[in-house]
Amino acid sequence: MSGARSKLALFLCGCYVVALGAHTGEESVAEHHEAEYYVAAVYEHPSILSLNPLALISRQEALELMNQNLDIYEQQVMTAAQKDVQIIVFPEDGIHGFNFTRTSIYPFLDFMPSPQVVRWNPCLEPHRFNDTEVLQRLSCMAIRGDMFLVANLGTKQPCHSSDPRCPKDGRYQFNTNVVFSNNGTLVDRYRKHNLYFEAAFDVPLKVDLITFDTPFAGRFGIFTCFDILFFDPAIRVLRDYKVKHVVYPTAWMNQLPLLAAIEIQKAFAVAFGINVLAANIHHPVLGMTGSGIHTPLESFWYHDMENPKSHLIIAQVAKNPVGLIGAENATGETDPSHSKFLKILPGDPYCEKDAQEVHCDEATKWNVNAPPTFHSEMMYDNFTLVPVWGKEGYLHVCSNGLCCYLLYERPTLSKELYALGVFDGLHTVHGTYYIQVCALVRCGGLGFDTCGQEITEATGIFEFHLWGNFSTSYIFPLFLTSGMTLEVPDQLGWENDHYFLRKSRLSSGLVTAALYGRLYERD
């Protein structure tokens, strides 16, 4: 589905959606206010893949396949140009595909000179370096569309035996993002650092911390797919270079309830108060879909596990993104639910808790349910959970050093099981990294063992505060409602050494609301 909810228009190999504001229903991009906005595009691409990625083929055969994908890219650029797009982002693996060996991918690799050393316009200087046909086409597209262009391709770099890390075949092979300016100049390149089962590629000796400047929106950061879960380069680029915009090619396989593509993209934008331009590849049979243009307060997204067609998203984006109101910036009168939350926070001197009730001053009290705790697998991790029963209540559940709390009210009860879960430990499947998670999830059925299953539809409506005593400041708010719809928290922030998420007035049934903490130093 499209998160822009705007008019869909069929064209060529796919469709595009133009968005002015989240859920506005307006059909075209008006003239952007030069002082406030720029126009961006991301393209979700159903790449044409090699029928046998393990086979050894010639460079010419590899170019024939890649040119089919590049032809589609060029069509998208020209469509975007008609809407005055200033920057377009294409997905990871969109040109060459995936599942190669180190040897079989070699014909698909372009030679990549360092943009820090060589100033080069591949379109205007095509004969300067050999094996750069893909770079040449991308450069010419940027010129034709008069826009900055970000794409992903495989690249090669010769190395010498004197280099102790030089592979035996005498070359490095990198998963590489490239950035071209609107005049076709190669502005910079980023080589993926956190590879995801990519035996064809090498990890760069040093982490690429890449930013690039644009005349329309200032500085952008760049990284790829799995990088988003790690400190280097994603967090370090934001911390050290003060970027407000990130371009993010990805080939992300969705995994619910916590790591759907649009879910983590949006969480990153909200957590850091930045804009994220995310382009995913489109292969629903492999669980690969989910692209978006995300600001902290609104998103224009696409997620479709049924439709095999491509999708182009175009949106106006604020040059200076506005973040959520944090606890430290909140003003005005506090509503009753937030007053309850502030009173019930652990350690509050005005409240004491026993097994059944919370007693606060002004004779305020409400039931504290004490349902059974249970364990269930979620995202391959052993979560400790408690069921969420009744129309209102206060729950908590702990694991290791992390305790998670939920204060909730429900206008009506649905025939669904929800649970509050906690995990504090090292995740070891499909990557190794330390996480602290507090999650309110809809279970797959009515049995406790179904909590953590992948579901996309729900009817349960909640007004709630979710919080925990996290040991990290790097916390990502994951928030999905029925039909893979993105929600924005009403408020996020620290209160009394606990990090909380607050939400009322859901647009549809709750699928997932979670605080996903990363402790990078424990990886």
Side-chain angles (χ1 to χ4, degrees), residues 221-242:
I222 183 170
F223 47 85
T224 309
C225 202
F226 202 37
D227 287 328
I228 202 170
L229 293 181
F230 297 91
F231 188 85
D232 283 318
I235 307 303
R236 195 180 300 274
V237 163
L238 296 181
R239 186 193 70 180
D240 294 353
Y241 295 92
K242 311 299 183 186

Side-chain angles (χ1 to χ4, degrees), residues 311-371:
H311 206 83
L312 181 67
I313 302 171
I314 300 174
Q316 285 187 354
V317 186
K319 294 180 180 181
N320 294 295
V322 178
L324 289 175
I325 297 175
E328 66 280 3
N329 297 320
T331 58
E333 295 185 6
T334 303
D335 65 53
S337 69
H338 198 58
S339 295
K340 283 185 180 181
F341 160 70
L342 294 174
K343 289 179 178 180
I344 204 172
L345 272 176
D348 190 303
Y350 301 102
C351 286
E352 61 178 17
K353 298 185 280 288
D354 59 32
Q356 297 299 322
E357 295 181 327
V358 175
H359 302 280
C360 301
D361 61 344
E362 300 178 3
T364 302
K365 66 179 183 178
W366 58 94
N367 289 333
V368 179
N369 297 324

Side-chain angles (χ1 to χ4, degrees), residues 254-365:
N254 289 281
Q255 188 177 5
L256 291 163
L258 302 180
L259 288 180
I262 59 172
E263 187 179 23
I264 189 65
Q265 295 161 14
K266 179 64 173 182
F268 202 85
V270 173
F272 291 103
I274 62 170
N275 299 323
V276 175
L277 314 183
N280 197 6
I281 207 162
H282 189 75
H283 291 287
V285 69
L286 300 175
M288 303 171 88
T289 181
S291 303
I293 297 175
H294 307 277
T295 78
L297 297 181
E298 59 186 4
S299 286
F300 317 98
W301 75 89
Y302 177 70
H303 174 104
D304 195 331
M305 290 292 289
E306 307 296 332
N307 193 331
K309 293 183 178 180
S310 62
H311 206 83
L312 181 67
I313 302 171
I314 300 174
Q316 285 187 354
V317 186
K319 294 180 180 181
N320 294 295
V322 178
L324 289 175
I325 297 175
E328 66 280 3
N329 297 320
T331 58
E333 295 185 6
T334 303
D335 65 53
S337 69
H338 198 58
S339 295
K340 283 185 180 181
F341 160 70
L342 294 174
K343 289 179 178 180
I344 204 172
L345 272 176
D348 190 303
Y350 301 102
C351 286
E352 61 178 17
K353 298 185 280 288
D354 59 32
Q356 297 299 322
E357 295 181 327
V358 175
H359 302 280
C360 301
D361 61 344
E362 300 178 3
T364 302
K365 66 179 183 178

Side-chain angles (χ1 to χ4, degrees), residues 4 17-22 29 32 37-42 83-87 277 292-295 298-301 312-318:
V17 60
V18 177
L20 268 177
V29 173
H32 51 280
Y37 297 93
Y38 64 98
V39 181
V42 300
K83 301 296 180 181
D84 297 324
V85 165
Q86 294 159 287
I87 185 168
L277 314 183
I293 297 175
H294 307 277
T295 78
E298 59 186 4
S299 286
F300 317 98
W301 75 89
L312 181 67
I313 302 171
I314 300 174
Q316 285 187 354
V317 186

Side-chain angles (χ1 to χ4, degrees), residues 71 84 123 138 143 153 188-189 196 238 246 270 297 310 325 328 377 404 408 445 464 470 495 506:
D71 288 344
D84 297 324
C123 186
L138 293 171
I143 293 174
L153 71 158
D188 220 324
R189 58 99 172 93
Y196 188 79
L238 296 181
V246 166
V270 173
L297 297 181
S310 62
I325 297 175
E328 66 280 3
E377 185 177 282
C404 302
Y408 68 95
F464 65 93
F470 289 88
E495 193 73 64
L506 290 175

Side-chain angles (χ1 to χ4, degrees), residues 218-505:
R219 181 164 295 174
F220 284 73
I222 183 170
F223 47 85
T224 309
C225 202
F226 202 37
D227 287 328
I228 202 170
L229 293 181
F230 297 91
F231 188 85
D232 283 318
I235 307 303
R236 195 180 300 274
V237 163
L238 296 181
R239 186 193 70 180
D240 294 353
Y241 295 92
K242 311 299 183 186
V243 300
K244 297 180 180 178
H245 318 272
V246 166
V247 289
Y248 178 60
T250 184
W252 191 278
M253 291 178 285
N254 289 281
Q255 188 177 5
L256 291 163
L258 302 180
L259 288 180
I262 59 172
E263 187 179 23
I264 189 65
Q265 295 161 14
K266 179 64 173 182
F268 202 85
V270 173
F272 291 103
I274 62 170
N275 299 323
V276 175
L277 314 183
N280 197 6
I281 207 162
H282 189 75
H283 291 287
V285 69
L286 300 175
M288 303 171 88
T289 181
S291 303
I293 297 175
H294 307 277
T295 78
L297 297 181
E298 59 186 4
S299 286
F300 317 98
W301 75 89
Y302 177 70
H303 174 104
D304 195 331
M305 290 292 289
E306 307 296 332
N307 193 331
K309 293 183 178 180
S310 62
H311 206 83
L312 181 67
I313 302 171
I314 300 174
Q316 285 187 354
V317 186
K319 294 180 180 181
N320 294 295
V322 178
L324 289 175
I325 297 175
E328 66 280 3
N329 297 320
T331 58
E333 295 185 6
T334 303
D335 65 53
S337 69
H338 198 58
S339 295
K340 283 185 180 181
F341 160 70
L342 294 174
K343 289 179 178 180
I344 204 172
L345 272 176
D348 190 303
Y350 301 102
C351 286
E352 61 178 17
K353 298 185 280 288
D354 59 32
Q356 297 299 322
E357 295 181 327
V358 175
H359 302 280
C360 301
D361 61 344
E362 300 178 3
T364 302
K365 66 179 183 178
W366 58 94
N367 289 333
V368 179
N369 297 324
T373 60
F374 63 95
H375 292 86
S376 187
E377 185 177 282
M378 188 188 307
M379 310 290 295
Y380 302 103
D381 295 318
N382 186 27
F383 273 69
T384 303
L385 304 103
V386 291
V388 179
W389 291 332
K391 293 189 67 173
E392 62 178 359
Y394 161 78
L395 299 169
H396 74 276
V397 61
C398 300
S399 175
N400 294 331
L402 178 64
C403 287
C404 302
Y405 304 84
L406 177 69
L407 180 65
Y408 68 95
E409 294 182 9
R410 305 183 64 181
T412 57
L413 290 177
S414 61
K415 295 180 180 179
E416 299 160 311
L417 175 63
Y418 283 84
L420 171 67
V422 58
F423 181 79
D424 180 1
L426 191 67
H427 175 87
T428 58
V429 178
H430 301 157
T432 302
Y433 45 92
Y434 200 102
I435 56 176
Q436 289 185 326
V437 183
C438 293
L440 171 61
V441 296
R442 206 217 99 175
C443 304
L446 297 180
F448 288 171
D449 61 342
T450 69
C451 296
Q453 292 181 354
E454 298 194 21
I455 61 103
T456 59
E457 303 297 328
T459 61
I461 302 296
F462 287 79
E463 294 189 2
F464 65 93
H465 287 74
L466 173 68
W467 71 98
N469 61 331
F470 289 88
S471 304
T472 176
S473 60
Y474 298 107
I475 303 168
F476 302 91
L478 307 173
F479 212 155
L480 281 178
T481 55
S482 193
M484 295 299 294
T485 300
L486 292 171
E487 291 276 352
V488 179
D490 294 337
Q491 195 175 359
L492 288 168
W494 290 95
E495 193 73 64
N496 197 18
D497 296 326
H498 290 70
Y499 195 80
F500 75 94
L501 180 158
R502 170 190 179 193
K503 183 64 179 180
S504 60
R505 298 179 299 279

Side-chain angles (χ1 to χ4, degrees), residues 64-81:
E64 288 175 2
L65 184 142
M66 291 191 289
N67 276 323
Q68 293 180 66
N69 288 308
L70 289 166
D71 288 344
I72 298 171
Y73 278 25
E74 189 159 1
Q75 294 164 0
Q76 305 303 319
V77 167
M78 299 318 297
T79 299

